[in-house]
Amino acid sequence: MSFTSLGLVPELLRAIEERGYTEPTPVQQQAVPVVLEGRDLVGSAQTGTGKTAAFLLPILQRLKDRRRGVLRALVLVPTRELAEQVLRSAQAYGRYCGLRAAAVYGGVGMEPQTTPGRLLDHMGRGHVDSSNLEVLVLDEADRMLDMGFAPDVRRILATLPTERQTLFFSATISGDVDRLARRALKEHAAVEIGRRAEAAHGVEHILVAVDKAEKRGLLARMLEKVPQGRTLVFTRTKFTADKLARHLRREGKEVAALHGGKTQSFRTATLERFKNGRTRVLVATDVAARGIDVENIVMVVNYDVPRDPEVYVHRVGRTARAGAQGVALTLMSPDEWLMMRDVEKLMGRSFPREIVPGFEPSVAPLQPEQRAKPPQRRGPSVRARRGGARVR
C-alpha cells in the first residue's frame, strides 16, 4: 500500500516524500481513512510505529482549506519534549498546507512543563479561544493519566465544543484510558496494531540475573560490546541516574544523565548531543525520557526493573522503531525477579534468565516456569552458564 492509496492530497504526499517515507505503517493504513471520514477513534499501537503521522496527516488534510486564524485542532501530550516532537512533525508534514502550528508548555523545571496544566493556565487567563475547535487529540493518553493529569484533562474536555472529532492514541489501553474514552468519544472506531502491552517485533529481550551491587560493573562491561549506535538506560530515580552516569564516565564512556532535576537548557542540549551522536549513552528517568524520538537507538537498558509492568513496554519501545532491530537488556537483581514476572505476565510471554561469567548472582535466578518462592542459595559447585536463547 502507498500513501497515495490512503486518499491524501498532493501537498501532503510531497511533504511525505521529502521526509523519505514510501509506505504507510500498519497503524497509518488503518487510522488515516477513519480520521479522514471525521469519525472518533481510539488507536493503540506500539511506540515507534508512526502514531503521530497517523493522526497529523488526516487532520492537516481536513483543515487545510478551511477558515484560518482560529484554533481548530488541539493535541494534548504529557511532556514538553513530546510537544516539541509533535510540533516538528506538524510543521514538516504541513509545510505545503498553509496551516500554522504552535506548542504550549511551561518554562523551567520538569513539573511546570507538563502541558495540560499550562493549557489550563492559558484558558483561565482568556488567552485561548476554543469555540472553533474541530479536532481534539490525546496522544500518549495512558502516560498522561499515569502522570496524574486526569483531573486536568477532564477540565479541558468540559471547556471544549461538544461537536468535535476526538482521537485517542496510546501505546496501551488501560482501564482508565478506556473509561475516559467512553466519556469523551461518540460511536468511535478502534484501531489496534498488535496485542496490547506488546513490544515491537524487532526487539530482542535479554534478561541478566546479577546482584544489585554488581549492576554498574556489568553494564560497563556489556556496553563495550554494543555496536555503533545509541544506548538509552532507564533508572527509577534521579539519584541513581546521576550516580550511574558518573561511574560510566570514569569507565571512559560517552554518557550523560537526563532527569527532572536538570534545567531545561541542559536537557535540550543533552538531547541534541544524544541525537547527533556526540553522546552515545543516555541515562534517564522514565518521565524525562518520555517523548524522546531518536533514531538508531540500538539498545535500551532496564537498569532497574520497572514496578509498573506497562512501563517496560514503553521503555523498550525506544528501540526497534519503524521496523528496525534492537536489544532490550534488563539487569535483574534478586529483589526484582517477581516484578519481572509481572512484566512477562502482562506481555503474555517469558524470557530466559542469563548469567554473565564473573557477575554470578548470590542466589540462583527464578526461572519463568518456577512458582514464586524464596530463591535458594547457590552452592559453590554451581557454575554460571553462558548466554541463552535468543528471543525474537
Side-chain angles (χ1 to χ4, degrees):
M1 179 179 289
S2 66
F3 282 101
T4 303
S5 64
L6 296 180
L8 296 175
V9 295
E11 293 92 333
L12 290 173
L13 294 175
R14 180 182 176 186
I16 292 169
E17 182 179 4
E18 290 179 353
R19 298 203 73 185
Y21 300 125
T22 57
E23 297 180 357
T25 65
V27 68
Q28 292 163 3
Q29 293 176 23
Q30 296 191 34
V32 169
V34 174
V35 181
L36 283 175
E37 292 176 358
R39 297 186 60 190
D40 288 1
L41 175 69
V42 172
S44 173
Q46 301 95 334
T47 302
T49 54
K51 293 195 298 294
T52 302
F55 64 78
L56 280 180
L57 292 173
I59 288 175
L60 290 168
Q61 178 156 322
R62 292 191 63 214
L63 301 184
K64 77 178 190 69
D65 293 326
R66 301 186 187 180
R67 184 166 48 144
R68 300 174 184 178
V70 295
L71 176 63
R72 291 185 294 147
L74 174 64
V75 182
L76 290 179
V77 297
T79 67
R80 172 181 180 141
E81 285 76 17
L82 186 54
E84 292 176 336
Q85 174 191 325
V86 174
L87 175 62
R88 289 192 298 269
S89 295
Q91 292 170 334
Y93 289 124
R95 61 185 307 177
Y96 303 115
C97 294
L99 297 173
R100 296 179 60 188
V104 176
Y105 43 71
V108 179
M110 179 58 71
E111 295 303 323
Q113 290 169 10
T114 47
T115 56
R118 182 47 53 101
L119 178 61
L120 279 172
D121 181 42
H122 281 290
M123 287 180 166
R125 295 170 183 265
H127 298 164
V128 177
D129 179 7
S130 60
S131 60
N132 296 287
L133 189 79
E134 299 177 40
V135 186
L136 169 68
V137 182
L138 268 68
D139 191 20
E140 303 285 7
D142 52 349
R143 301 308 299 164
M144 202 177 307
L145 299 186
D146 287 345
M147 293 169 64
F149 293 126
D152 288 344
V153 171
R154 286 193 290 268
R155 288 175 59 193
I156 292 171
L157 289 174
T159 68
L160 302 180
T162 57
E163 293 300 321
R164 65 172 190 269
Q165 182 181 23
T166 306
L167 313 173
F168 275 38
F169 279 83
S170 184
T172 59
I173 304 297
S174 64
D176 289 338
V177 171
D178 186 62
R179 284 187 289 273
L180 183 60
R182 291 178 183 276
R183 293 179 54 185
L185 280 68
K186 301 176 181 178
E187 299 180 353
H188 66 274
V191 170
E192 185 173 341
I193 304 301
R195 297 184 331 157
R196 298 180 182 185
E198 180 182 11
H201 294 296
V203 178
E204 178 184 6
H205 302 261
I206 300 176
L207 274 59
V208 178
V210 60
D211 287 342
K212 189 178 294 292
E214 299 295 328
K215 284 187 177 184
R216 290 186 304 172
L218 176 58
L219 179 57
R221 168 83 65 85
M222 300 193 77
L223 287 175
E224 297 174 358
K225 303 177 182 180
V226 178
Q228 288 297 319
R230 300 164 183 80
T231 296
L232 180 57
V233 183
F234 285 98
T235 65
R236 289 198 201 104
T237 68
K238 295 180 287 187
F239 175 79
T240 301
D242 284 332
K243 187 175 181 180
L244 177 59
R246 288 194 297 268
H247 175 81
L248 294 177
R249 280 194 289 267
R250 288 195 296 268
E251 295 291 322
K253 312 300 179 187
E254 299 169 346
V255 61
L258 185 73
H259 56 69
K262 308 291 186 180
T263 65
Q264 181 57 44
S265 59
F266 178 89
R267 288 201 302 276
T268 300
T270 297
L271 277 176
E272 187 60 31
R273 288 195 298 270
F274 188 56
K275 289 179 179 179
N276 63 31
R278 293 173 58 191
T279 299
R280 289 190 57 196
V281 181
L282 183 64
V283 184
T285 56
D286 291 298
V287 172
R290 196 64 185 170
I292 290 180
D293 184 22
V294 179
E295 296 181 354
N296 196 26
I297 294 181
V298 297
M299 184 167 73
V300 168
V301 179
N302 294 295
Y303 188 79
D304 299 309
V305 177
R307 293 189 175 92
D308 181 352
E310 289 189 356
V311 171
Y312 180 93
V313 179
H314 289 290
R315 286 181 176 183
V316 303
R318 299 295 101 192
T319 188
R321 297 171 72 90
Q325 302 293 310
V327 173
L329 169 65
T330 299
L331 304 183
M332 187 179 61
S333 57
D335 62 309
E336 297 173 316
W337 292 346
L338 295 183
M339 286 188 286
M340 194 63 220
R341 289 273 293 270
D342 291 338
V343 171
E344 293 172 316
K345 182 178 179 180
L346 176 71
M347 298 182 67
R349 58 191 298 196
S350 298
F351 310 111
R353 278 65 170 150
E354 302 186 9
I355 295 175
V356 175
F359 293 90
E360 295 87 348
S362 56
V363 293
L366 188 66
Q367 294 298 327
E369 66 277 6
Q370 290 179 268
R371 294 183 178 180
K373 58 183 180 180
Q376 301 296 314
R377 290 283 174 181
R378 289 170 53 90
S381 62
V382 178
R383 299 176 59 187
R385 63 183 179 86
R386 293 178 178 270
R390 295 171 68 87
V391 180
R392 295 193 182 277

